[in-house]
Amino acid sequence: MSLGFAAGRYSNGGEIRKLKAELDKRKVISQTETAALKDAFEQGADFWLKRDVKKFPDFDLRRENFAIPTVVVSNLKGGVGKTTITANLAAYFAAKGKRVLILDLDWQGSLANVFNTLRDADSALSEINQVFSPDADGSTLLSLIRWGGRIPDDLCYVTTYKSFSDTENQILVQWIRGDLPFDAHFLLANVLWTQAVKGRFDVVLIDTPPRMTAGLVNALSCASHLIVPTVLDETSGEAAAAFIQTADKFAQRYNPQLRIAGIVGSLTTRRPSLTASEERSRTDLVSRVDRLKLRYTGDELVANVWIPKKAAFADVAGRSIAYSSNSEVKLLFDQLAIELKMDKI
Ligand SMILES: Nc1ncnc2c1ncn2[C@@H]1O[C@H](COP(=O)(O)OP(=O)(O)OP(=O)(O)O)[C@@H](O)[C@H]1O
Ligand SMILES: [Mg+2]
């Protein structure tokens, strides 16, 4: 099963050949590595699940002592509201007085851009690259965070931009070569599960790309909660269920602590009810997820709160986060947070 695709920004055969040619020219990659890289592009999630798990020293101890609640918002389907939900949940946590770290692991930089724009920072920087090094530690991350500006809440972020995709490709090659001291999956955990980060933040929110990249793999390997936004139509429901299954496989292997906080209907047509067709898609999604035989039992995974299409989200773009400037959006996200048990964080 090939669910997501490409590492980094390379998403078709032509792009893969371009990358290979580039690497060949620099004589940095062998035939075997090229083949493995191609596998990574073609197999998506399965490729990242293939090898034995290699953790960093004191992995369990560091998770137990230093891991803080980390919420990843993810779906391999694009344009389903991941970035919007991450930004507004970040504002929710900040309004509750939490010290929030926002990480954007999509080289498109949509989320980082939201915050860069709000704070007049340099939006072309990609300082997140430095976090994805086996030599990085908590203090590396703290040295890169940006804060302040026009939102009064304590929201910190690290800049992300296109060159993050090169970093992701380098990580993949290093991992394939066996040049990393531990799995490429745990680079982010290695930085987050530190005394420095625990002392500075209460919660981490991670926005991810709709592709199976090193960034997404790292997010799934260190998060405590997973939120999966989806549009309520048939094909999106199918994709959401498939992604949940992939995430569950990942969790089993790399991060047994990961809980699915919920699958959230997004960009729905009306408020507060769903249209008949959205209602059918939601019911279909509930039964699809029920059939998956996940590790989770008990709670219903498809949330009973959904996020309708609202002009308010776009109206404030670049100036504010809708949560902070629109009372209806605030109410909606307060309800969603309770539904997803984010209020317990
Ligand atoms: N509830 C909403 N109401 C109105 N517009 C929305 C809503 N949610 C998202 N949008 C808009 O829809 C577009 C896609 O949303 P968003 O960027 O959050 O999706 P995404 O899943 O992060 O996309 P990608 O997969 O490309 O990262 C954006 O232009 C965003 O402003
Ligand atoms: Mg996005």
PDB file of all heavy atoms in Angstrom, residues 73 75-86 88 106 108 110-111 207-211 229 265-268 307-314 317 332-333, ligand 1:
ATOM      1  N   VAL A  73      -1.202  17.481  13.943  1.00  0.00           N
ATOM      2  CA  VAL A  73      -2.410  17.596  13.120  1.00  0.00           C
ATOM      3  C   VAL A  73      -2.030  17.099  11.730  1.00  0.00           C
ATOM      4  O   VAL A  73      -1.156  17.672  11.073  1.00  0.00           O
ATOM      5  CB  VAL A  73      -2.911  19.052  13.081  1.00  0.00           C
ATOM      6  CG1 VAL A  73      -4.210  19.140  12.283  1.00  0.00           C
ATOM      7  CG2 VAL A  73      -3.130  19.572  14.505  1.00  0.00           C
ATOM      8  N   ASN A  75      -2.954  14.522   8.028  1.00  0.00           N
ATOM      9  CA  ASN A  75      -3.746  13.711   7.109  1.00  0.00           C
ATOM     10  C   ASN A  75      -2.981  13.736   5.791  1.00  0.00           C
ATOM     11  O   ASN A  75      -2.419  14.776   5.424  1.00  0.00           O
ATOM     12  CB  ASN A  75      -5.148  14.327   6.909  1.00  0.00           C
ATOM     13  CG  ASN A  75      -6.074  13.420   6.130  1.00  0.00           C
ATOM     14  OD1 ASN A  75      -5.643  12.521   5.399  1.00  0.00           O
ATOM     15  ND2 ASN A  75      -7.369  13.658   6.265  1.00  0.00           N
ATOM     16  N   LEU A  76      -2.904  12.613   5.108  1.00  0.00           N
ATOM     17  CA  LEU A  76      -2.168  12.607   3.842  1.00  0.00           C
ATOM     18  C   LEU A  76      -2.961  13.258   2.716  1.00  0.00           C
ATOM     19  O   LEU A  76      -2.475  13.399   1.601  1.00  0.00           O
ATOM     20  CB  LEU A  76      -1.761  11.178   3.477  1.00  0.00           C
ATOM     21  CG  LEU A  76      -0.643  10.609   4.364  1.00  0.00           C
ATOM     22  CD1 LEU A  76      -0.393   9.150   4.054  1.00  0.00           C
ATOM     23  CD2 LEU A  76       0.649  11.407   4.213  1.00  0.00           C
ATOM     24  N   LYS A  77      -4.175  13.643   3.010  1.00  0.00           N
ATOM     25  CA  LYS A  77      -4.979  14.379   2.024  1.00  0.00           C
ATOM     26  C   LYS A  77      -4.683  15.872   2.198  1.00  0.00           C
ATOM     27  O   LYS A  77      -4.639  16.376   3.322  1.00  0.00           O
ATOM     28  CB  LYS A  77      -6.449  14.064   2.298  1.00  0.00           C
ATOM     29  CG  LYS A  77      -7.389  14.664   1.318  1.00  0.00           C
ATOM     30  CD  LYS A  77      -8.100  13.590   0.510  1.00  0.00           C
ATOM     31  CE  LYS A  77      -9.022  14.274  -0.465  1.00  0.00           C
ATOM     32  NZ  LYS A  77      -9.322  13.482  -1.614  1.00  0.00           N
ATOM     33  N   GLY A  78      -4.514  16.560   1.086  1.00  0.00           N
ATOM     34  CA  GLY A  78      -4.207  17.990   1.147  1.00  0.00           C
ATOM     35  C   GLY A  78      -5.456  18.855   1.254  1.00  0.00           C
ATOM     36  O   GLY A  78      -6.557  18.418   0.902  1.00  0.00           O
ATOM     37  N   GLY A  79      -5.270  20.063   1.752  1.00  0.00           N
ATOM     38  CA  GLY A  79      -6.334  21.064   1.756  1.00  0.00           C
ATOM     39  C   GLY A  79      -7.529  20.737   2.620  1.00  0.00           C
ATOM     40  O   GLY A  79      -8.650  21.139   2.325  1.00  0.00           O
ATOM     41  N   VAL A  80      -7.309  20.011   3.716  1.00  0.00           N
ATOM     42  CA  VAL A  80      -8.436  19.613   4.564  1.00  0.00           C
ATOM     43  C   VAL A  80      -8.527  20.423   5.866  1.00  0.00           C
ATOM     44  O   VAL A  80      -9.319  20.087   6.745  1.00  0.00           O
ATOM     45  CB  VAL A  80      -8.384  18.097   4.894  1.00  0.00           C
ATOM     46  CG1 VAL A  80      -8.599  17.260   3.648  1.00  0.00           C
ATOM     47  CG2 VAL A  80      -7.062  17.725   5.563  1.00  0.00           C
ATOM     48  N   GLY A  81      -7.698  21.450   5.975  1.00  0.00           N
ATOM     49  CA  GLY A  81      -7.785  22.316   7.154  1.00  0.00           C
ATOM     50  C   GLY A  81      -6.755  22.031   8.237  1.00  0.00           C
ATOM     51  O   GLY A  81      -6.876  22.529   9.359  1.00  0.00           O
ATOM     52  N   LYS A  82      -5.703  21.281   7.917  1.00  0.00           N
ATOM     53  CA  LYS A  82      -4.693  20.961   8.931  1.00  0.00           C
ATOM     54  C   LYS A  82      -4.070  22.224   9.525  1.00  0.00           C
ATOM     55  O   LYS A  82      -4.011  22.397  10.740  1.00  0.00           O
ATOM     56  CB  LYS A  82      -3.555  20.109   8.315  1.00  0.00           C
ATOM     57  CG  LYS A  82      -3.998  18.748   7.841  1.00  0.00           C
ATOM     58  CD  LYS A  82      -2.849  17.942   7.263  1.00  0.00           C
ATOM     59  CE  LYS A  82      -2.321  18.432   5.929  1.00  0.00           C
ATOM     60  NZ  LYS A  82      -3.284  18.331   4.817  1.00  0.00           N
ATOM     61  N   THR A  83      -3.608  23.101   8.630  1.00  0.00           N
ATOM     62  CA  THR A  83      -2.907  24.294   9.089  1.00  0.00           C
ATOM     63  C   THR A  83      -3.849  25.222   9.857  1.00  0.00           C
ATOM     64  O   THR A  83      -3.490  25.774  10.905  1.00  0.00           O
ATOM     65  CB  THR A  83      -2.284  25.017   7.874  1.00  0.00           C
ATOM     66  OG1 THR A  83      -1.387  24.105   7.241  1.00  0.00           O
ATOM     67  CG2 THR A  83      -1.537  26.265   8.277  1.00  0.00           C
ATOM     68  N   THR A  84      -5.071  25.349   9.356  1.00  0.00           N
ATOM     69  CA  THR A  84      -6.057  26.215  10.003  1.00  0.00           C
ATOM     70  C   THR A  84      -6.366  25.711  11.412  1.00  0.00           C
ATOM     71  O   THR A  84      -6.412  26.491  12.379  1.00  0.00           O
ATOM     72  CB  THR A  84      -7.356  26.230   9.155  1.00  0.00           C
ATOM     73  OG1 THR A  84      -7.002  26.644   7.831  1.00  0.00           O
ATOM     74  CG2 THR A  84      -8.402  27.139   9.732  1.00  0.00           C
ATOM     75  N   ILE A  85      -6.544  24.408  11.535  1.00  0.00           N
ATOM     76  CA  ILE A  85      -6.860  23.833  12.850  1.00  0.00           C
ATOM     77  C   ILE A  85      -5.663  23.964  13.794  1.00  0.00           C
ATOM     78  O   ILE A  85      -5.814  24.315  14.959  1.00  0.00           O
ATOM     79  CB  ILE A  85      -7.345  22.368  12.688  1.00  0.00           C
ATOM     80  CG1 ILE A  85      -8.746  22.397  12.055  1.00  0.00           C
ATOM     81  CG2 ILE A  85      -7.353  21.618  14.011  1.00  0.00           C
ATOM     82  CD1 ILE A  85      -9.372  21.057  11.770  1.00  0.00           C
ATOM     83  N   THR A  86      -4.467  23.735  13.270  1.00  0.00           N
ATOM     84  CA  THR A  86      -3.274  23.867  14.126  1.00  0.00           C
ATOM     85  C   THR A  86      -3.163  25.299  14.658  1.00  0.00           C
ATOM     86  O   THR A  86      -2.952  25.507  15.868  1.00  0.00           O
ATOM     87  CB  THR A  86      -1.980  23.534  13.342  1.00  0.00           C
ATOM     88  OG1 THR A  86      -2.167  22.318  12.632  1.00  0.00           O
ATOM     89  CG2 THR A  86      -0.792  23.390  14.269  1.00  0.00           C
ATOM     90  N   ASN A  88      -5.409  27.666  15.014  1.00  0.00           N
ATOM     91  CA  ASN A  88      -6.470  28.077  15.943  1.00  0.00           C
ATOM     92  C   ASN A  88      -6.407  27.317  17.268  1.00  0.00           C
ATOM     93  O   ASN A  88      -6.728  27.870  18.314  1.00  0.00           O
ATOM     94  CB  ASN A  88      -7.840  27.944  15.266  1.00  0.00           C
ATOM     95  CG  ASN A  88      -8.049  29.075  14.262  1.00  0.00           C
ATOM     96  OD1 ASN A  88      -8.397  30.186  14.647  1.00  0.00           O
ATOM     97  ND2 ASN A  88      -7.779  28.806  12.986  1.00  0.00           N
ATOM     98  N   ASP A 106       5.920  21.271   7.270  1.00  0.00           N
ATOM     99  CA  ASP A 106       5.615  21.292   5.835  1.00  0.00           C
ATOM    100  C   ASP A 106       6.501  22.355   5.202  1.00  0.00           C
ATOM    101  O   ASP A 106       6.417  23.534   5.572  1.00  0.00           O
ATOM    102  CB  ASP A 106       4.135  21.640   5.639  1.00  0.00           C
ATOM    103  CG  ASP A 106       3.700  21.522   4.183  1.00  0.00           C
ATOM    104  OD1 ASP A 106       4.574  21.420   3.295  1.00  0.00           O
ATOM    105  OD2 ASP A 106       2.487  21.534   3.940  1.00  0.00           O
ATOM    106  N   GLN A 108       6.257  23.873   2.660  1.00  0.00           N
ATOM    107  CA  GLN A 108       5.496  24.992   2.074  1.00  0.00           C
ATOM    108  C   GLN A 108       5.418  26.156   3.047  1.00  0.00           C
ATOM    109  O   GLN A 108       5.151  27.288   2.662  1.00  0.00           O
ATOM    110  CB  GLN A 108       4.083  24.547   1.733  1.00  0.00           C
ATOM    111  CG  GLN A 108       4.005  23.630   0.547  1.00  0.00           C
ATOM    112  CD  GLN A 108       2.567  23.416   0.113  1.00  0.00           C
ATOM    113  OE1 GLN A 108       1.996  24.220  -0.602  1.00  0.00           O
ATOM    114  NE2 GLN A 108       1.988  22.330   0.582  1.00  0.00           N
ATOM    115  N   SER A 110       3.226  27.023   5.325  1.00  0.00           N
ATOM    116  CA  SER A 110       1.963  27.757   5.492  1.00  0.00           C
ATOM    117  C   SER A 110       1.768  28.224   6.933  1.00  0.00           C
ATOM    118  O   SER A 110       1.395  29.371   7.181  1.00  0.00           O
ATOM    119  CB  SER A 110       0.767  26.883   5.109  1.00  0.00           C
ATOM    120  OG  SER A 110       0.994  26.263   3.887  1.00  0.00           O
ATOM    121  N   LEU A 111       2.015  27.322   7.864  1.00  0.00           N
ATOM    122  CA  LEU A 111       1.780  27.689   9.267  1.00  0.00           C
ATOM    123  C   LEU A 111       2.839  28.684   9.737  1.00  0.00           C
ATOM    124  O   LEU A 111       2.522  29.706  10.340  1.00  0.00           O
ATOM    125  CB  LEU A 111       1.809  26.441  10.155  1.00  0.00           C
ATOM    126  CG  LEU A 111       1.553  26.713  11.631  1.00  0.00           C
ATOM    127  CD1 LEU A 111       0.111  27.121  11.874  1.00  0.00           C
ATOM    128  CD2 LEU A 111       1.877  25.488  12.488  1.00  0.00           C
ATOM    129  N   ASP A 207       2.151  21.050  12.751  1.00  0.00           N
ATOM    130  CA  ASP A 207       1.437  20.994  11.473  1.00  0.00           C
ATOM    131  C   ASP A 207       2.286  20.158  10.509  1.00  0.00           C
ATOM    132  O   ASP A 207       3.514  20.266  10.503  1.00  0.00           O
ATOM    133  CB  ASP A 207       1.274  22.416  10.924  1.00  0.00           C
ATOM    134  CG  ASP A 207       0.415  22.450   9.669  1.00  0.00           C
ATOM    135  OD1 ASP A 207      -0.382  21.517   9.450  1.00  0.00           O
ATOM    136  OD2 ASP A 207       0.524  23.436   8.914  1.00  0.00           O
ATOM    137  N   THR A 208       1.644  19.337   9.708  1.00  0.00           N
ATOM    138  CA  THR A 208       2.389  18.413   8.848  1.00  0.00           C
ATOM    139  C   THR A 208       1.913  18.509   7.396  1.00  0.00           C
ATOM    140  O   THR A 208       0.810  18.956   7.130  1.00  0.00           O
ATOM    141  CB  THR A 208       2.187  16.966   9.348  1.00  0.00           C
ATOM    142  OG1 THR A 208       0.787  16.708   9.394  1.00  0.00           O
ATOM    143  CG2 THR A 208       2.799  16.750  10.712  1.00  0.00           C
ATOM    144  N   PRO A 209       2.762  18.039   6.470  1.00  0.00           N
ATOM    145  CA  PRO A 209       2.383  18.097   5.047  1.00  0.00           C
ATOM    146  C   PRO A 209       1.517  16.893   4.673  1.00  0.00           C
ATOM    147  O   PRO A 209       1.531  15.878   5.373  1.00  0.00           O
ATOM    148  CB  PRO A 209       3.725  17.999   4.336  1.00  0.00           C
ATOM    149  CG  PRO A 209       4.567  17.179   5.252  1.00  0.00           C
ATOM    150  CD  PRO A 209       4.124  17.492   6.652  1.00  0.00           C
ATOM    151  N   PRO A 210       0.823  16.979   3.554  1.00  0.00           N
ATOM    152  CA  PRO A 210       0.025  15.836   3.118  1.00  0.00           C
ATOM    153  C   PRO A 210       0.863  14.809   2.358  1.00  0.00           C
ATOM    154  O   PRO A 210       0.442  14.306   1.331  1.00  0.00           O
ATOM    155  CB  PRO A 210      -1.037  16.501   2.218  1.00  0.00           C
ATOM    156  CG  PRO A 210      -0.351  17.709   1.679  1.00  0.00           C
ATOM    157  CD  PRO A 210       0.631  18.169   2.707  1.00  0.00           C
ATOM    158  N   ARG A 211       2.065  14.559   2.840  1.00  0.00           N
ATOM    159  CA  ARG A 211       2.974  13.606   2.206  1.00  0.00           C
ATOM    160  C   ARG A 211       3.749  12.881   3.290  1.00  0.00           C
ATOM    161  O   ARG A 211       4.001  13.452   4.358  1.00  0.00           O
ATOM    162  CB  ARG A 211       3.999  14.345   1.308  1.00  0.00           C
ATOM    163  CG  ARG A 211       3.409  15.134   0.198  1.00  0.00           C
ATOM    164  CD  ARG A 211       4.456  15.984  -0.515  1.00  0.00           C
ATOM    165  NE  ARG A 211       5.114  16.950   0.360  1.00  0.00           N
ATOM    166  CZ  ARG A 211       4.601  18.115   0.728  1.00  0.00           C
ATOM    167  NH1 ARG A 211       3.394  18.459   0.309  1.00  0.00           N
ATOM    168  NH2 ARG A 211       5.260  18.937   1.526  1.00  0.00           N
ATOM    169  N   PRO A 229      -7.855  16.019  10.562  1.00  0.00           N
ATOM    170  CA  PRO A 229      -8.955  16.750   9.923  1.00  0.00           C
ATOM    171  C   PRO A 229      -9.323  16.089   8.597  1.00  0.00           C
ATOM    172  O   PRO A 229      -8.452  15.569   7.906  1.00  0.00           O
ATOM    173  CB  PRO A 229      -8.367  18.141   9.655  1.00  0.00           C
ATOM    174  CG  PRO A 229      -7.033  18.169  10.318  1.00  0.00           C
ATOM    175  CD  PRO A 229      -6.588  16.756  10.474  1.00  0.00           C
ATOM    176  N   GLY A 265     -14.255  16.654  11.213  1.00  0.00           N
ATOM    177  CA  GLY A 265     -14.852  17.153   9.974  1.00  0.00           C
ATOM    178  C   GLY A 265     -14.491  18.626   9.803  1.00  0.00           C
ATOM    179  O   GLY A 265     -14.538  19.404  10.760  1.00  0.00           O
ATOM    180  N   SER A 266     -14.090  18.981   8.589  1.00  0.00           N
ATOM    181  CA  SER A 266     -13.616  20.340   8.359  1.00  0.00           C
ATOM    182  C   SER A 266     -14.257  20.907   7.103  1.00  0.00           C
ATOM    183  O   SER A 266     -14.682  20.149   6.223  1.00  0.00           O
ATOM    184  CB  SER A 266     -12.093  20.256   8.204  1.00  0.00           C
ATOM    185  OG  SER A 266     -11.559  21.464   7.803  1.00  0.00           O
ATOM    186  N   LEU A 267     -14.317  22.221   7.025  1.00  0.00           N
ATOM    187  CA  LEU A 267     -14.859  22.898   5.841  1.00  0.00           C
ATOM    188  C   LEU A 267     -16.279  22.416   5.513  1.00  0.00           C
ATOM    189  O   LEU A 267     -16.632  22.245   4.342  1.00  0.00           O
ATOM    190  CB  LEU A 267     -13.926  22.670   4.645  1.00  0.00           C
ATOM    191  CG  LEU A 267     -12.604  23.445   4.717  1.00  0.00           C
ATOM    192  CD1 LEU A 267     -11.499  22.730   3.970  1.00  0.00           C
ATOM    193  CD2 LEU A 267     -12.772  24.853   4.174  1.00  0.00           C
ATOM    194  N   THR A 268     -17.070  22.171   6.540  1.00  0.00           N
ATOM    195  CA  THR A 268     -18.447  21.726   6.308  1.00  0.00           C
ATOM    196  C   THR A 268     -19.280  22.907   5.810  1.00  0.00           C
ATOM    197  O   THR A 268     -18.937  24.074   6.022  1.00  0.00           O
ATOM    198  CB  THR A 268     -19.073  21.119   7.575  1.00  0.00           C
ATOM    199  OG1 THR A 268     -19.054  22.107   8.607  1.00  0.00           O
ATOM    200  CG2 THR A 268     -18.314  19.886   8.026  1.00  0.00           C
ATOM    201  N   ILE A 307     -15.772  21.722  11.955  1.00  0.00           N
ATOM    202  CA  ILE A 307     -15.425  23.120  11.678  1.00  0.00           C
ATOM    203  C   ILE A 307     -16.036  23.535  10.338  1.00  0.00           C
ATOM    204  O   ILE A 307     -15.611  23.063   9.280  1.00  0.00           O
ATOM    205  CB  ILE A 307     -13.883  23.310  11.604  1.00  0.00           C
ATOM    206  CG1 ILE A 307     -13.209  22.760  12.868  1.00  0.00           C
ATOM    207  CG2 ILE A 307     -13.522  24.779  11.391  1.00  0.00           C
ATOM    208  CD1 ILE A 307     -13.576  23.468  14.150  1.00  0.00           C
ATOM    209  N   PRO A 308     -17.039  24.390  10.369  1.00  0.00           N
ATOM    210  CA  PRO A 308     -17.660  24.806   9.111  1.00  0.00           C
ATOM    211  C   PRO A 308     -16.789  25.785   8.328  1.00  0.00           C
ATOM    212  O   PRO A 308     -15.868  26.398   8.884  1.00  0.00           O
ATOM    213  CB  PRO A 308     -18.950  25.487   9.564  1.00  0.00           C
ATOM    214  CG  PRO A 308     -18.682  25.921  10.951  1.00  0.00           C
ATOM    215  CD  PRO A 308     -17.650  25.022  11.541  1.00  0.00           C
ATOM    216  N   LYS A 309     -17.135  25.894   7.075  1.00  0.00           N
ATOM    217  CA  LYS A 309     -16.485  26.886   6.214  1.00  0.00           C
ATOM    218  C   LYS A 309     -16.917  28.250   6.714  1.00  0.00           C
ATOM    219  O   LYS A 309     -18.119  28.519   6.832  1.00  0.00           O
ATOM    220  CB  LYS A 309     -17.005  26.687   4.786  1.00  0.00           C
ATOM    221  CG  LYS A 309     -15.977  26.821   3.725  1.00  0.00           C
ATOM    222  CD  LYS A 309     -16.566  26.505   2.367  1.00  0.00           C
ATOM    223  CE  LYS A 309     -16.488  25.021   2.057  1.00  0.00           C
ATOM    224  NZ  LYS A 309     -17.197  24.616   0.854  1.00  0.00           N
ATOM    225  N   LYS A 310     -15.981  29.085   7.041  1.00  0.00           N
ATOM    226  CA  LYS A 310     -16.360  30.413   7.557  1.00  0.00           C
ATOM    227  C   LYS A 310     -15.411  31.463   6.994  1.00  0.00           C
ATOM    228  O   LYS A 310     -14.188  31.285   7.042  1.00  0.00           O
ATOM    229  CB  LYS A 310     -16.233  30.434   9.086  1.00  0.00           C
ATOM    230  CG  LYS A 310     -17.472  29.958   9.817  1.00  0.00           C
ATOM    231  CD  LYS A 310     -17.291  30.079  11.315  1.00  0.00           C
ATOM    232  CE  LYS A 310     -17.457  31.498  11.825  1.00  0.00           C
ATOM    233  NZ  LYS A 310     -18.815  32.022  11.632  1.00  0.00           N
ATOM    234  N   ALA A 311     -15.980  32.537   6.516  1.00  0.00           N
ATOM    235  CA  ALA A 311     -15.149  33.602   5.932  1.00  0.00           C
ATOM    236  C   ALA A 311     -14.173  34.151   6.965  1.00  0.00           C
ATOM    237  O   ALA A 311     -13.069  34.590   6.622  1.00  0.00           O
ATOM    238  CB  ALA A 311     -16.052  34.711   5.407  1.00  0.00           C
ATOM    239  N   ALA A 312     -14.560  34.078   8.241  1.00  0.00           N
ATOM    240  CA  ALA A 312     -13.716  34.652   9.301  1.00  0.00           C
ATOM    241  C   ALA A 312     -12.293  34.108   9.259  1.00  0.00           C
ATOM    242  O   ALA A 312     -11.340  34.820   9.592  1.00  0.00           O
ATOM    243  CB  ALA A 312     -14.336  34.361  10.665  1.00  0.00           C
ATOM    244  N   PHE A 313     -12.128  32.830   8.818  1.00  0.00           N
ATOM    245  CA  PHE A 313     -10.778  32.251   8.809  1.00  0.00           C
ATOM    246  C   PHE A 313      -9.893  32.993   7.810  1.00  0.00           C
ATOM    247  O   PHE A 313      -8.736  33.265   8.088  1.00  0.00           O
ATOM    248  CB  PHE A 313     -10.829  30.760   8.452  1.00  0.00           C
ATOM    249  CG  PHE A 313     -11.374  29.917   9.571  1.00  0.00           C
ATOM    250  CD1 PHE A 313     -12.673  29.445   9.546  1.00  0.00           C
ATOM    251  CD2 PHE A 313     -10.584  29.613  10.667  1.00  0.00           C
ATOM    252  CE1 PHE A 313     -13.185  28.671  10.571  1.00  0.00           C
ATOM    253  CE2 PHE A 313     -11.076  28.844  11.713  1.00  0.00           C
ATOM    254  CZ  PHE A 313     -12.386  28.369  11.664  1.00  0.00           C
ATOM    255  N   ALA A 314     -10.467  33.291   6.650  1.00  0.00           N
ATOM    256  CA  ALA A 314      -9.686  33.963   5.607  1.00  0.00           C
ATOM    257  C   ALA A 314      -9.609  35.473   5.856  1.00  0.00           C
ATOM    258  O   ALA A 314      -8.583  36.104   5.592  1.00  0.00           O
ATOM    259  CB  ALA A 314     -10.308  33.690   4.249  1.00  0.00           C
ATOM    260  N   ALA A 317      -6.660  36.573   7.757  1.00  0.00           N
ATOM    261  CA  ALA A 317      -5.366  36.016   7.341  1.00  0.00           C
ATOM    262  C   ALA A 317      -4.296  37.101   7.244  1.00  0.00           C
ATOM    263  O   ALA A 317      -4.516  38.152   6.646  1.00  0.00           O
ATOM    264  CB  ALA A 317      -5.514  35.300   6.005  1.00  0.00           C
ATOM    265  N   LEU A 332     -16.331  27.904  18.763  1.00  0.00           N
ATOM    266  CA  LEU A 332     -16.218  26.648  18.023  1.00  0.00           C
ATOM    267  C   LEU A 332     -14.974  25.856  18.445  1.00  0.00           C
ATOM    268  O   LEU A 332     -15.037  24.654  18.720  1.00  0.00           O
ATOM    269  CB  LEU A 332     -16.109  27.028  16.539  1.00  0.00           C
ATOM    270  CG  LEU A 332     -16.485  26.025  15.495  1.00  0.00           C
ATOM    271  CD1 LEU A 332     -17.927  25.603  15.663  1.00  0.00           C
ATOM    272  CD2 LEU A 332     -16.296  26.667  14.111  1.00  0.00           C
ATOM    273  N   PHE A 333     -13.856  26.548  18.519  1.00  0.00           N
ATOM    274  CA  PHE A 333     -12.616  25.855  18.886  1.00  0.00           C
ATOM    275  C   PHE A 333     -12.575  25.498  20.364  1.00  0.00           C
ATOM    276  O   PHE A 333     -11.956  24.499  20.742  1.00  0.00           O
ATOM    277  CB  PHE A 333     -11.382  26.655  18.438  1.00  0.00           C
ATOM    278  CG  PHE A 333     -10.966  26.280  17.046  1.00  0.00           C
ATOM    279  CD1 PHE A 333     -11.563  26.880  15.948  1.00  0.00           C
ATOM    280  CD2 PHE A 333     -10.036  25.277  16.817  1.00  0.00           C
ATOM    281  CE1 PHE A 333     -11.227  26.502  14.659  1.00  0.00           C
ATOM    282  CE2 PHE A 333      -9.687  24.889  15.534  1.00  0.00           C
ATOM    283  CZ  PHE A 333     -10.292  25.505  14.443  1.00  0.00           C
TER     284      PHE A 333
HETATM  285  N1  LIG B   1     -13.147  26.318   8.163  1.00  0.00           N
HETATM  286  C1  LIG B   1     -12.683  27.015   7.143  1.00  0.00           C
HETATM  287  N2  LIG B   1     -13.403  28.014   6.583  1.00  0.00           N
HETATM  288  C2  LIG B   1     -12.959  28.718   5.529  1.00  0.00           C
HETATM  289  N3  LIG B   1     -11.781  28.509   4.950  1.00  0.00           N
HETATM  290  C3  LIG B   1     -11.001  27.519   5.453  1.00  0.00           C
HETATM  291  C4  LIG B   1     -11.407  26.737   6.566  1.00  0.00           C
HETATM  292  N4  LIG B   1     -10.437  25.825   6.825  1.00  0.00           N
HETATM  293  C5  LIG B   1      -9.480  26.035   5.916  1.00  0.00           C
HETATM  294  N5  LIG B   1      -9.811  27.035   5.094  1.00  0.00           N
HETATM  295  C6  LIG B   1      -9.044  27.528   3.937  1.00  0.00           C
HETATM  296  O1  LIG B   1      -8.883  26.412   3.052  1.00  0.00           O
HETATM  297  C7  LIG B   1      -7.560  26.358   2.551  1.00  0.00           C
HETATM  298  C8  LIG B   1      -6.914  25.038   2.979  1.00  0.00           C
HETATM  299  O2  LIG B   1      -6.841  25.031   4.387  1.00  0.00           O
HETATM  300  P1  LIG B   1      -5.514  24.615   5.134  1.00  0.00           P
HETATM  301  O3  LIG B   1      -4.347  25.304   4.558  1.00  0.00           O
HETATM  302  O4  LIG B   1      -5.758  24.778   6.579  1.00  0.00           O
HETATM  303  O5  LIG B   1      -5.477  23.072   4.728  1.00  0.00           O
HETATM  304  P2  LIG B   1      -4.251  22.060   4.837  1.00  0.00           P
HETATM  305  O6  LIG B   1      -4.836  20.724   5.094  1.00  0.00           O
HETATM  306  O7  LIG B   1      -3.275  22.562   5.817  1.00  0.00           O
HETATM  307  O8  LIG B   1      -3.646  22.129   3.373  1.00  0.00           O
HETATM  308  P3  LIG B   1      -2.252  21.473   2.883  1.00  0.00           P
HETATM  309  O9  LIG B   1      -2.508  20.002   2.776  1.00  0.00           O
HETATM  310  O10 LIG B   1      -1.983  22.123   1.571  1.00  0.00           O
HETATM  311  O11 LIG B   1      -1.231  21.787   3.921  1.00  0.00           O
HETATM  312  C9  LIG B   1      -6.858  27.591   3.086  1.00  0.00           C
HETATM  313  O12 LIG B   1      -6.962  28.605   2.133  1.00  0.00           O
HETATM  314  C10 LIG B   1      -7.648  27.970   4.329  1.00  0.00           C
HETATM  315  O13 LIG B   1      -7.607  29.351   4.618  1.00  0.00           O
END
